Structure formats: structure tokens, C-alpha cells
Amino acid sequence: SLEMSSASSTVVVISPPGGVGEVAAVKAASMGSLVKWFVVSSQFAPQSSSVSLTQTSLQEMEAAGGKVEIAGAEASSLVITEDSPESAIPAVSKWCGSADAIICTLDGVEFAVKGEFDEEDPIPIWKGA
């Protein structure tokens, strides 16, 4: 179970859109935390990079004094060196700031390749991350 030590906790959630990451973000905010949800999307599935929260979830968060802030980046911009101009790492670091807890999930991660999808020779985007 997820327990927050105070109503003013800051929780960073890093995950693909939806799934366990969304559940964690909504639950923590519904318990009164400020949640910074960083959504990692895939260039190979741009249609799955959208995020939506139900009205019920938003009402529960508001009633508890919680809040969800959402930002994101394409996965390949997170696995290149920090000093590369295409790297999203400096922006992610600045946006996330300090936190009382960090939750990272990988549910629903598919293999992604550089270039076209090739089922015979997939290169996981997370390799070496």
C-alpha cells in the first residue's frame, strides 16, 4: 500500500501513459500529495501518449488537497547523453525538482527500435538506461 507521511508530500511518478503509473499518480494525489507525473512516450506509438483523468479522480484529488502536474518526453530523448542538445534529461531534472518519493513503472513498455519496427531484431529503448 502507498502511505504518505504528510498531506504536503511531493511524489514524482515516471511512467508510460496510463497503467500502473496513472493509478499511482491518482492514488497519491487522492491522498493529498502533490504529484509530478512525468510521462515517457514512444515515437512509435504517438497515439498512446495522451493522458486523461476522470472527473471522479479529479474531484477526489481536489477534496484531499492533492494535485497532479503532468509533463513528458519521448523515450529516446531520455537515453542519450545529458549534454546532447536533443536530451530531455536537464529539463526533466529541473521540472521534477526534489521529492519525498519517486515511483517508476514500466508496465506496457513495448520494444522500440531506432528506425522501423522489426520484430526479428528489436532493440529495447531502455537497454543501458
Side-chain angles (χ1 to χ4, degrees):
S1 80
L2 181 64
E3 291 184 36
M4 297 291 130
S5 60
S6 72
S8 61
S9 297
T10 300
V11 177
V12 172
V13 176
I14 303 168
S15 75
V20 176
E22 180 176 336
V23 171
V26 168
K27 181 64 175 175
S30 295
M31 295 172 71
S33 295
L34 164 61
V35 176
K36 293 188 170 199
W37 182 16
F38 191 82
V39 178
V40 180
S41 61
S42 168
Q43 68 182 18
F44 302 103
Q47 69 281 1
S48 69
S49 63
S50 65
V51 172
S52 62
L53 301 175
T54 67
Q55 187 64 34
T56 302
S57 294
L58 294 171
Q59 290 169 343
E60 288 175 5
M61 289 183 255
E62 185 177 352
K67 179 179 172 182
V68 175
E69 297 176 359
I70 302 173
E74 201 278 316
S76 64
S77 70
L78 300 169
V79 294
I80 55 179
T81 61
E82 189 173 337
D83 56 349
S84 170
E86 293 85 29
S87 177
I89 295 171
V92 173
S93 178
K94 185 176 180 180
W95 182 77
C96 289
S98 63
D100 299 302
I102 298 174
I103 301 169
C104 298
T105 68
L106 293 175
D107 62 306
V109 171
E110 299 288 330
F111 283 101
V113 295
K114 296 178 181 177
E116 294 183 15
F117 187 75
D118 178 358
E119 290 185 16
E120 294 177 14
D121 188 23
I123 302 168
I125 199 75
W126 297 102
K127 185 175 182 180

